[in-house]
Amino acid sequence: MCIGGNLGMAIDLKPLASSVKRVDTMLFSESASRLIVTLPPKKKQAFENLFRNQSKTLLGTVTEEDRLICVGPNSKRVISCSLSALKTCWKKTLSW
């Protein structure tokens, strides 16, 4: 969403703190059955109804800001980066 949609995100990892202790694991774990879903606020209830019998956790919101902000379980920012910096880093990995 950040790079493709040019939209920021505000992510709060506190809801994951009881099941996972390390921030890097929270962000990059590839456990089976994990999905990140973005949807308009008006679709939230329909989504929750559709997956009512599944575990789900709201971790953040899409913003109009030019930043990705992520707060860890201790309420401290673990990421605060402009979208342009993220795009530059991402594109560097593709220019070989």
Coordinates of all heavy atoms in Angstrom, one line a residue:
M1 N 0.8 -1.2 0.0 CA 0.0 0.0 0.0 C 0.9 1.2 0.0 O 0.6 2.2 -0.7 CB -0.9 0.0 1.2 CG -1.9 1.1 1.3 SD -3.0 1.3 -0.1 CE -4.0 -0.1 0.0
C2 N 1.9 1.2 0.8 CA 2.8 2.4 0.9 C 3.4 2.8 -0.5 O 3.3 3.9 -1.0 CB 3.9 2.2 1.9 SG 3.3 2.2 3.6
I3 N 4.1 1.8 -1.1 CA 4.9 2.1 -2.3 C 3.9 2.2 -3.5 O 4.0 3.1 -4.2 CB 6.0 1.1 -2.5 CG1 7.1 1.3 -1.4 CG2 6.6 1.2 -3.9 CD1 8.2 0.3 -1.3
G4 N 3.1 1.2 -3.6 CA 2.2 1.1 -4.8 C 1.1 2.2 -4.8 O 0.8 2.8 -5.8
G5 N 0.6 2.5 -3.6 CA -0.5 3.4 -3.5 C -0.1 4.8 -3.1 O -0.9 5.7 -3.1
N6 N 1.2 5.0 -2.8 CA 1.8 6.2 -2.3 C 1.0 6.8 -1.1 O 0.7 8.0 -1.0 CB 1.8 7.3 -3.5 CG 2.8 8.3 -3.2 OD1 3.9 8.0 -2.7 ND2 2.5 9.5 -3.6
L7 N 0.6 5.9 -0.2 CA -0.1 6.2 1.0 C 0.7 5.7 2.2 O 1.4 4.7 2.1 CB -1.5 5.5 1.0 CG -2.4 6.0 -0.1 CD1 -3.6 5.1 -0.1 CD2 -2.9 7.4 0.2
G8 N 0.6 6.5 3.3 CA 1.3 6.1 4.5 C 0.6 5.1 5.3 O -0.6 4.7 5.0
M9 N 1.2 4.6 6.3 CA 0.5 3.7 7.3 C 1.0 4.0 8.7 O 2.1 4.4 8.9 CB 0.9 2.3 6.9 CG 0.4 1.8 5.6 SD 0.6 0.1 5.3 CE -0.8 -0.6 6.2
A10 N 0.0 3.8 9.6 CA 0.3 3.9 11.0 C 0.0 2.6 11.6 O -1.1 2.1 11.6 CB -0.6 5.0 11.7
I11 N 1.1 1.9 12.0 CA 0.9 0.5 12.5 C 1.2 0.5 14.0 O 2.2 1.1 14.5 CB 1.9 -0.4 11.8 CG1 1.6 -0.4 10.3 CG2 1.9 -1.8 12.3 CD1 2.7 -1.0 9.4
D12 N 0.4 -0.3 14.7 CA 0.6 -0.4 16.2 C 0.7 -1.9 16.5 O -0.2 -2.7 16.3 CB -0.6 0.1 16.9 CG -0.5 0.1 18.4 OD1 0.5 -0.5 18.9 OD2 -1.3 0.7 19.1
L13 N 1.9 -2.4 16.9 CA 2.2 -3.8 17.2 C 1.8 -4.2 18.6 O 1.9 -5.4 18.9 CB 3.7 -4.1 16.9 CG 4.2 -3.8 15.5 CD1 5.7 -4.0 15.5 CD2 3.4 -4.7 14.5
K14 N 1.3 -3.3 19.4 CA 0.9 -3.7 20.8 C -0.1 -4.9 20.8 O 0.1 -5.8 21.7 CB 0.4 -2.6 21.5 CG 1.4 -1.6 21.9 CD 0.9 -0.5 22.9 CE 0.0 0.5 22.3 NZ 0.4 1.6 21.6
P15 N -1.1 -5.0 19.9 CA -2.0 -6.2 20.0 C -1.3 -7.5 19.8 O -1.8 -8.6 20.2 CB -3.0 -5.9 18.9 CG -2.9 -4.5 18.7 CD -1.5 -4.1 18.9
L16 N -0.1 -7.6 19.3 CA 0.6 -8.8 19.1 C 1.6 -9.2 20.2 O 2.1 -10.3 20.2 CB 1.5 -8.8 17.8 CG 0.7 -8.5 16.5 CD1 1.7 -8.4 15.3 CD2 -0.3 -9.6 16.2
A17 N 1.7 -8.3 21.2 CA 2.7 -8.5 22.2 C 2.5 -9.7 23.1 O 3.5 -10.3 23.6 CB 2.8 -7.2 23.1
S18 N 1.3 -10.1 23.3 CA 1.1 -11.3 24.1 C 1.5 -12.6 23.4 O 1.9 -13.6 24.1 CB -0.4 -11.4 24.5 OG -1.2 -11.6 23.4
S19 N 1.5 -12.7 22.1 CA 1.8 -13.9 21.4 C 3.3 -13.9 20.9 O 3.8 -15.0 20.6 CB 0.8 -14.2 20.3 OG 0.9 -13.1 19.4
V20 N 3.8 -12.7 20.6 CA 5.2 -12.6 20.0 C 5.9 -11.6 20.8 O 5.4 -10.5 21.1 CB 5.1 -12.2 18.5 CG1 6.5 -12.1 17.9 CG2 4.2 -13.2 17.7
K21 N 7.2 -11.8 21.1 CA 7.9 -10.9 21.9 C 8.9 -10.0 21.1 O 9.1 -8.8 21.5 CB 8.8 -11.7 23.0 CG 8.0 -12.5 23.9 CD 7.0 -11.7 24.7 CE 6.1 -12.5 25.6 NZ 4.9 -11.9 25.9
R22 N 9.4 -10.5 20.1 CA 10.4 -9.7 19.3 C 9.7 -8.9 18.2 O 8.9 -9.4 17.4 CB 11.5 -10.6 18.7 CG 12.4 -11.2 19.8 CD 13.4 -12.2 19.2 NE 13.9 -11.7 17.9 CZ 14.9 -12.4 17.3 NH1 15.4 -13.5 17.8 NH2 15.3 -11.9 16.1
V23 N 10.1 -7.6 18.1 CA 9.5 -6.8 17.0 C 9.9 -7.3 15.6 O 9.0 -7.3 14.8 CB 10.0 -5.3 17.2 CG1 9.6 -4.4 16.1 CG2 9.5 -4.7 18.5
D24 N 11.1 -7.7 15.4 CA 11.4 -8.2 14.1 C 10.6 -9.4 13.7 O 10.2 -9.6 12.5 CB 12.9 -8.5 13.9 CG 13.4 -9.5 14.9 OD1 12.8 -9.7 16.0 OD2 14.5 -10.2 14.6
T25 N 10.3 -10.3 14.7 CA 9.4 -11.4 14.4 C 8.0 -10.9 14.1 O 7.3 -11.5 13.2 CB 9.4 -12.4 15.6 OG1 10.7 -12.8 15.8 CG2 8.5 -13.6 15.3
M26 N 7.5 -9.9 14.8 CA 6.2 -9.4 14.5 C 6.1 -8.9 13.1 O 5.0 -9.0 12.5 CB 5.8 -8.3 15.5 CG 5.7 -8.7 16.9 SD 5.4 -7.2 18.0 CE 5.5 -7.9 19.6
L27 N 7.1 -8.2 12.7 CA 7.1 -7.6 11.4 C 7.3 -8.5 10.2 O 6.7 -8.4 9.1 CB 8.1 -6.4 11.3 CG 7.8 -5.2 12.2 CD1 9.0 -4.3 12.2 CD2 6.6 -4.5 11.6
F28 N 8.2 -9.5 10.4 CA 8.7 -10.3 9.2 C 8.4 -11.8 9.3 O 8.9 -12.5 8.5 CB 10.2 -10.0 9.0 CG 10.5 -8.6 8.8 CD1 11.2 -7.9 9.8 CD2 10.1 -7.9 7.7 CE1 11.5 -6.5 9.6 CE2 10.4 -6.6 7.5 CZ 11.1 -5.9 8.4
S29 N 7.7 -12.2 10.3 CA 7.4 -13.6 10.5 C 6.6 -14.1 9.3 O 5.7 -13.4 8.8 CB 6.6 -13.9 11.7 OG 6.2 -15.2 11.8
E30 N 7.0 -15.3 8.8 CA 6.2 -15.9 7.7 C 5.5 -17.1 8.1 O 5.4 -18.1 7.4 CB 7.2 -16.2 6.6 CG 7.9 -15.0 6.0 CD 8.8 -15.3 4.8 OE1 8.8 -16.4 4.3 OE2 9.5 -14.4 4.4
S31 N 4.9 -17.0 9.3 CA 4.1 -18.1 9.8 C 2.9 -18.4 8.8 O 2.4 -17.5 8.2 CB 3.5 -17.8 11.1 OG 4.5 -17.4 12.0
A32 N 2.5 -19.7 8.8 CA 1.4 -20.1 7.9 C 0.1 -19.3 8.3 O -0.1 -19.1 9.5 CB 1.2 -21.6 8.0
S33 N -0.6 -19.0 7.4 CA -2.0 -18.4 7.6 C -2.0 -16.9 8.0 O -3.0 -16.4 8.3 CB -2.8 -19.2 8.6 OG -2.9 -20.5 8.2
R34 N -0.9 -16.2 7.9 CA -0.9 -14.8 8.2 C -1.1 -14.0 6.9 O -0.5 -14.3 5.9 CB 0.4 -14.3 8.9 CG 0.5 -14.8 10.3 CD 1.6 -14.0 10.9 NE 1.8 -14.5 12.3 CZ 2.7 -14.1 13.1 NH1 3.5 -13.2 12.7 NH2 2.8 -14.6 14.3
L35 N -2.0 -13.1 7.0 CA -2.3 -12.2 5.9 C -2.4 -10.7 6.4 O -2.8 -10.5 7.5 CB -3.7 -12.5 5.3 CG -4.0 -13.9 4.8 CD1 -5.5 -14.0 4.5 CD2 -3.2 -14.2 3.6
I36 N -1.9 -9.8 5.5 CA -2.1 -8.4 5.8 C -3.2 -7.9 4.8 O -3.0 -8.1 3.6 CB -0.8 -7.6 5.7 CG1 0.2 -8.1 6.7 CG2 -1.1 -6.1 5.8 CD1 1.5 -7.4 6.6
V37 N -4.2 -7.4 5.3 CA -5.3 -6.9 4.5 C -5.5 -5.4 4.7 O -5.5 -5.0 5.8 CB -6.6 -7.7 4.9 CG1 -7.8 -7.2 4.1 CG2 -6.4 -9.2 4.7
T38 N -5.7 -4.7 3.6 CA -6.1 -3.3 3.7 C -7.4 -3.2 3.0 O -7.7 -3.8 2.0 CB -5.1 -2.3 3.0 OG1 -4.9 -2.7 1.7 CG2 -3.7 -2.4 3.7
L39 N -8.3 -2.4 3.7 CA -9.6 -2.2 3.1 C -10.2 -0.9 3.6 O -9.8 -0.4 4.7 CB -10.6 -3.4 3.5 CG -10.7 -3.8 4.9 CD1 -12.0 -3.4 5.5 CD2 -10.5 -5.3 5.0
P40 N -11.2 -0.3 2.9 CA -11.8 0.9 3.3 C -12.5 0.7 4.7 O -13.1 -0.4 4.9 CB -12.7 1.3 2.2 CG -12.5 0.4 1.1 CD -11.7 -0.8 1.6
P41 N -12.5 1.7 5.5 CA -13.3 1.6 6.8 C -14.7 1.1 6.6 O -15.2 0.4 7.5 CB -13.2 3.0 7.4 CG -12.0 3.6 6.8 CD -11.9 3.0 5.4
K42 N -15.4 1.5 5.6 CA -16.8 1.1 5.4 C -16.9 -0.4 5.1 O -18.0 -0.9 5.3 CB -17.4 1.9 4.3 CG -16.9 1.7 2.9 CD -17.5 2.6 1.9 CE -16.9 2.4 0.5 NZ -17.4 3.3 -0.5
K43 N -15.8 -1.1 4.8 CA -15.9 -2.5 4.5 C -15.4 -3.3 5.7 O -15.4 -4.6 5.7 CB -15.0 -2.8 3.3 CG -15.3 -2.2 2.0 CD -16.5 -2.9 1.4 CE -16.7 -2.3 0.0 NZ -17.7 -3.0 -0.7
K44 N -15.0 -2.7 6.8 CA -14.5 -3.4 8.0 C -15.5 -4.4 8.6 O -15.1 -5.5 8.8 CB -14.0 -2.3 9.0 CG -13.4 -3.0 10.3 CD -13.0 -1.9 11.3 CE -12.4 -2.5 12.5 NZ -13.2 -2.6 13.6
Q45 N -16.7 -3.9 8.8 CA -17.7 -4.8 9.4 C -18.0 -6.0 8.5 O -18.1 -7.2 9.0 CB -19.0 -4.1 9.7 CG -20.0 -4.9 10.5 CD -19.4 -5.2 11.9 OE1 -18.9 -4.4 12.6 NE2 -19.4 -6.5 12.2
A46 N -18.1 -5.8 7.2 CA -18.3 -6.9 6.3 C -17.2 -7.9 6.3 O -17.4 -9.1 6.3 CB -18.6 -6.4 4.9
F47 N -15.9 -7.4 6.4 CA -14.8 -8.3 6.4 C -14.8 -9.1 7.7 O -14.5 -10.3 7.7 CB -13.5 -7.4 6.4 CG -12.2 -8.2 6.6 CD1 -11.6 -8.8 5.5 CD2 -11.6 -8.2 7.8 CE1 -10.5 -9.6 5.7 CE2 -10.4 -8.9 8.0 CZ -9.9 -9.6 6.9
E48 N -15.1 -8.4 8.8 CA -15.1 -9.1 10.1 C -16.2 -10.1 10.2 O -16.0 -11.2 10.7 CB -15.3 -8.1 11.3 CG -14.0 -7.3 11.5 CD -14.1 -6.2 12.6 OE1 -15.3 -5.9 13.0 OE2 -13.1 -5.7 13.0
N49 N -17.3 -9.9 9.5 CA -18.4 -10.9 9.5 C -18.0 -12.1 8.6 O -18.3 -13.2 9.0 CB -19.7 -10.2 8.9 CG -20.3 -9.3 9.8 OD1 -20.1 -9.2 11.0 ND2 -21.2 -8.4 9.2
L50 N -17.3 -11.8 7.5 CA -16.9 -12.9 6.6 C -15.9 -13.8 7.4 O -15.9 -15.0 7.2 CB -16.2 -12.3 5.4 CG -15.8 -13.2 4.3 CD1 -17.0 -14.0 3.7 CD2 -15.1 -12.5 3.2
F51 N -15.0 -13.2 8.2 CA -14.0 -14.0 8.9 C -14.3 -14.1 10.4 O -13.4 -14.2 11.2 CB -12.6 -13.4 8.7 CG -12.2 -13.5 7.3 CD1 -12.4 -12.5 6.3 CD2 -11.5 -14.7 6.8 CE1 -11.9 -12.7 5.0 CE2 -11.1 -14.8 5.5 CZ -11.3 -13.8 4.6
R52 N -15.6 -14.1 10.7 CA -16.0 -14.1 12.1 C -15.4 -15.3 13.0 O -15.2 -15.2 14.1 CB -17.5 -14.0 12.3 CG -18.3 -15.2 11.8 CD -19.8 -15.0 11.9 NE -20.5 -15.9 11.0 CZ -20.7 -15.6 9.7 NH1 -20.3 -14.5 9.2 NH2 -21.4 -16.5 9.0
N53 N -15.2 -16.4 12.3 CA -14.7 -17.6 13.1 C -13.2 -17.7 13.0 O -12.6 -18.7 13.4 CB -15.3 -18.9 12.5 CG -16.8 -18.9 12.8 OD1 -17.3 -18.4 13.8 ND2 -17.6 -19.4 11.8
Q54 N -12.5 -16.7 12.5 CA -11.0 -16.7 12.3 C -10.4 -15.6 13.3 O -11.0 -14.6 13.6 CB -10.6 -16.4 10.9 CG -11.3 -17.3 9.9 CD -10.8 -18.7 10.0 OE1 -9.7 -19.0 10.3 NE2 -11.8 -19.6 10.0
S55 N -9.2 -15.9 13.7 CA -8.5 -15.0 14.5 C -8.1 -13.8 13.6 O -7.6 -14.0 12.5 CB -7.2 -15.6 15.1 OG -6.5 -14.7 15.8
K56 N -8.3 -12.6 14.1 CA -7.9 -11.4 13.3 C -7.5 -10.3 14.3 O -8.1 -10.2 15.4 CB -8.9 -11.0 12.3 CG -10.3 -10.7 13.0 CD -11.4 -10.8 11.9 CE -12.7 -11.0 12.5 NZ -12.9 -12.3 13.2
T57 N -6.6 -9.4 13.9 CA -6.2 -8.3 14.7 C -6.0 -7.1 13.9 O -5.3 -7.1 12.8 CB -4.9 -8.6 15.4 OG1 -5.0 -9.9 16.1 CG2 -4.4 -7.6 16.4
L58 N -6.6 -6.0 14.3 CA -6.4 -4.7 13.6 C -5.1 -4.1 14.1 O -4.9 -3.9 15.3 CB -7.5 -3.7 13.9 CG -7.4 -2.3 13.3 CD1 -7.5 -2.3 11.8 CD2 -8.5 -1.4 13.9
L59 N -4.2 -3.9 13.1 CA -2.8 -3.4 13.5 C -2.6 -1.9 13.1 O -1.6 -1.4 13.5 CB -1.8 -4.3 12.9 CG -1.7 -5.7 13.4 CD1 -0.6 -6.5 12.6 CD2 -1.4 -5.7 14.9
G60 N -3.5 -1.3 12.3 CA -3.2 0.0 11.9 C -4.2 0.6 10.9 O -5.2 -0.1 10.6
T61 N -3.8 1.7 10.4 CA -4.6 2.4 9.4 C -3.7 2.9 8.2 O -2.5 3.2 8.4 CB -5.4 3.6 10.0 OG1 -4.5 4.5 10.6 CG2 -6.4 3.1 11.0
V62 N -4.3 3.1 7.1 CA -3.7 3.7 6.0 C -3.9 5.2 6.2 O -5.0 5.7 6.6 CB -4.3 3.3 4.6 CG1 -3.8 4.1 3.5 CG2 -4.1 1.8 4.4
T63 N -2.9 6.0 5.9 CA -3.0 7.5 6.1 C -2.6 8.2 4.8 O -2.1 7.6 3.9 CB -2.0 7.9 7.2 OG1 -0.7 7.8 6.7 CG2 -2.2 7.1 8.5
E64 N -2.9 9.5 4.8 CA -2.5 10.4 3.7 C -1.1 10.9 3.8 O -0.6 11.5 2.9 CB -3.5 11.5 3.6 CG -5.0 11.1 3.3 CD -5.1 10.6 1.9 OE1 -4.5 11.1 0.9 OE2 -6.0 9.7 1.7
E65 N -0.5 10.7 5.0 CA 0.9 11.2 5.2 C 1.9 10.4 4.4 O 1.7 9.3 4.0 CB 1.2 10.9 6.7 CG 0.5 11.8 7.6 CD 1.0 11.6 9.1 OE1 2.2 11.8 9.3 OE2 0.2 11.3 9.9
D66 N 3.0 11.1 4.2 CA 4.1 10.5 3.4 C 5.1 9.8 4.3 O 6.3 9.9 4.3 CB 4.9 11.6 2.7 CG 6.0 11.1 1.9 OD1 5.9 10.0 1.4 OD2 7.0 11.8 1.8
R67 N 4.5 8.9 5.2 CA 5.3 8.2 6.2 C 4.8 6.8 6.5 O 3.6 6.6 6.5 CB 5.4 9.0 7.5 CG 6.1 10.3 7.4 CD 6.6 10.8 8.7 NE 7.9 10.2 9.1 CZ 9.1 10.4 8.6 NH1 9.2 11.1 7.5 NH2 10.1 9.9 9.1
L68 N 5.7 5.9 6.8 CA 5.3 4.7 7.5 C 5.8 4.8 8.9 O 7.0 5.0 9.2 CB 6.1 3.5 6.8 CG 6.0 2.2 7.5 CD1 4.6 1.7 7.6 CD2 6.9 1.1 6.9
I69 N 4.8 4.7 9.8 CA 5.1 4.8 11.2 C 4.7 3.5 11.9 O 3.5 3.0 11.7 CB 4.4 6.0 11.9 CG1 4.9 7.3 11.2 CG2 4.6 6.0 13.4 CD1 4.1 8.5 11.6
C70 N 5.6 2.9 12.7 CA 5.2 1.7 13.4 C 5.6 1.8 14.8 O 6.8 2.2 15.2 CB 6.0 0.5 12.7 SG 5.6 -1.1 13.4
V71 N 4.7 1.5 15.7 CA 4.9 1.6 17.2 C 5.0 0.2 17.7 O 4.2 -0.7 17.4 CB 3.7 2.3 17.8 CG1 3.9 2.3 19.3 CG2 3.6 3.8 17.3
G72 N 6.0 -0.1 18.5 CA 6.2 -1.4 19.1 C 5.4 -1.6 20.3 O 4.6 -0.8 20.7
P73 N 5.5 -2.8 20.9 CA 4.7 -3.2 22.0 C 4.9 -2.3 23.3 O 4.1 -2.2 24.1 CB 5.1 -4.6 22.3 CG 6.2 -5.0 21.4 CD 6.4 -3.9 20.4
N74 N 6.1 -1.6 23.3 CA 6.4 -0.8 24.4 C 5.9 0.7 24.1 O 6.3 1.6 24.9 CB 7.9 -0.8 24.7 CG 8.7 -0.4 23.6 OD1 8.2 -0.1 22.5 ND2 10.0 -0.4 23.7
S75 N 5.2 0.9 23.1 CA 4.7 2.2 22.7 C 5.7 3.1 22.1 O 5.5 4.3 21.9 CB 3.9 2.9 23.8 OG 2.8 2.2 24.2
K76 N 6.9 2.6 21.9 CA 8.0 3.4 21.2 C 8.0 3.2 19.7 O 7.7 2.1 19.3 CB 9.3 3.1 21.8 CG 9.5 3.5 23.3 CD 10.9 3.2 23.7 CE 11.0 3.6 25.2 NZ 12.3 3.3 25.7
R77 N 8.3 4.2 19.0 CA 8.4 4.1 17.5 C 9.6 3.2 17.2 O 10.7 3.4 17.6 CB 8.5 5.4 16.8 CG 7.3 6.2 16.7 CD 7.4 7.4 15.9 NE 6.1 8.1 15.8 CZ 6.0 9.2 15.1 NH1 7.0 9.7 14.5 NH2 4.8 9.8 15.1
V78 N 9.3 2.2 16.4 CA 10.4 1.3 15.9 C 10.7 1.6 14.4 O 11.8 1.3 13.9 CB 10.0 -0.2 16.1 CG1 10.0 -0.5 17.5 CG2 8.7 -0.6 15.4
I79 N 9.7 2.3 13.7 CA 9.9 2.7 12.4 C 9.2 4.1 12.2 O 8.1 4.2 12.6 CB 9.3 1.7 11.3 CG1 10.0 0.4 11.4 CG2 9.5 2.3 9.9 CD1 9.3 -0.7 10.6
S80 N 10.0 5.0 11.6 CA 9.4 6.2 11.2 C 10.2 6.7 9.9 O 11.3 7.1 10.0 CB 9.5 7.3 12.3 OG 8.9 8.5 11.8
C81 N 9.6 6.5 8.8 CA 10.4 6.6 7.5 C 9.5 7.2 6.5 O 8.3 6.9 6.3 CB 10.9 5.3 7.1 SG 12.1 5.3 5.8
S82 N 10.0 8.1 5.7 CA 9.3 8.7 4.6 C 9.1 7.7 3.5 O 9.9 6.7 3.3 CB 10.0 9.9 4.0 OG 11.2 9.5 3.3
L83 N 8.0 7.8 2.7 CA 7.8 6.9 1.6 C 8.8 7.0 0.6 O 9.2 6.0 0.0 CB 6.4 7.1 1.0 CG 5.2 6.9 1.9 CD1 3.9 7.1 1.2 CD2 5.2 5.6 2.6
S84 N 9.3 8.2 0.3 CA 10.4 8.3 -0.7 C 11.6 7.6 -0.3 O 12.3 7.0 -1.1 CB 10.7 9.8 -0.9 OG 11.1 10.4 0.2
A85 N 12.0 7.6 1.0 CA 13.2 6.8 1.4 C 12.9 5.3 1.3 O 13.8 4.5 0.9 CB 13.5 7.1 2.9
L86 N 11.7 4.9 1.6 CA 11.4 3.4 1.4 C 11.4 3.0 0.0 O 12.0 2.0 -0.4 CB 10.0 3.2 2.0 CG 9.8 3.2 3.5 CD1 8.3 3.1 3.8 CD2 10.5 2.2 4.2
K87 N 10.9 3.9 -0.9 CA 10.9 3.6 -2.4 C 12.4 3.5 -2.9 O 12.7 2.6 -3.6 CB 10.2 4.6 -3.1 CG 8.7 4.5 -3.0 CD 8.0 5.7 -3.8 CE 6.6 5.7 -3.4 NZ 5.9 6.8 -4.1
T88 N 13.2 4.4 -2.4 CA 14.6 4.4 -2.8 C 15.3 3.1 -2.4 O 16.0 2.5 -3.2 CB 15.4 5.6 -2.2 OG1 14.8 6.8 -2.7 CG2 16.8 5.6 -2.6
C89 N 15.1 2.7 -1.2 CA 15.7 1.5 -0.7 C 15.2 0.2 -1.5 O 16.0 -0.6 -1.8 CB 15.5 1.3 0.8 SG 16.4 2.4 1.8
W90 N 13.9 0.2 -1.7 CA 13.3 -0.9 -2.4 C 13.8 -1.0 -3.9 O 14.2 -2.0 -4.3 CB 11.8 -0.7 -2.4 CG 11.0 -1.8 -3.2 CD1 10.9 -3.1 -2.9 CD2 10.3 -1.6 -4.4 NE1 10.2 -3.7 -3.8 CE2 9.8 -2.8 -4.7 CE3 10.0 -0.5 -5.2 CZ2 9.0 -3.0 -5.8 CZ3 9.2 -0.6 -6.3 CH2 8.7 -1.9 -6.6
K91 N 13.9 0.2 -4.5 CA 14.3 0.2 -5.9 C 15.8 -0.2 -6.1 O 16.2 -0.8 -7.0 CB 14.1 1.6 -6.6 CG 12.6 1.8 -6.9 CD 12.4 3.1 -7.6 CE 11.0 3.2 -8.0 NZ 10.7 4.4 -8.8
K92 N 16.6 0.1 -5.1 CA 18.1 -0.2 -5.1 C 18.2 -1.7 -5.2 O 19.2 -2.2 -5.8 CB 18.8 0.3 -3.9 CG 19.2 1.7 -3.9 CD 20.0 2.1 -2.7 CE 20.3 3.6 -2.7 NZ 21.0 4.0 -1.5
T93 N 17.4 -2.5 -4.6 CA 17.5 -3.9 -4.6 C 17.1 -4.5 -6.0 O 17.5 -5.6 -6.3 CB 16.6 -4.6 -3.6 OG1 15.2 -4.3 -3.9 CG2 16.9 -4.1 -2.2
L94 N 16.5 -3.7 -6.8 CA 16.0 -4.2 -8.1 C 17.0 -3.7 -9.3 O 16.8 -4.2 -10.4 CB 14.6 -3.7 -8.4 CG 13.5 -4.1 -7.4 CD1 12.2 -3.4 -7.8 CD2 13.4 -5.6 -7.4
S95 N 17.9 -2.9 -9.0 CA 18.8 -2.3 -10.0 C 20.1 -3.0 -10.1 O 21.1 -2.5 -9.7 CB 19.0 -0.8 -9.8 OG 19.6 -0.6 -8.6
W96 N 20.1 -4.2 -10.5 CA 21.4 -5.0 -10.6 C 21.6 -5.3 -12.0 O 21.7 -5.7 -12.9 CB 21.3 -6.3 -9.7 CG 20.1 -7.0 -9.7 CD1 19.0 -6.8 -9.0 CD2 19.7 -8.1 -10.5 NE1 18.0 -7.6 -9.2 CE2 18.4 -8.5 -10.2 CE3 20.3 -8.9 -11.5 CZ2 17.7 -9.6 -10.8 CZ3 19.7 -9.9 -12.1 CH2 18.4 -10.3 -11.7

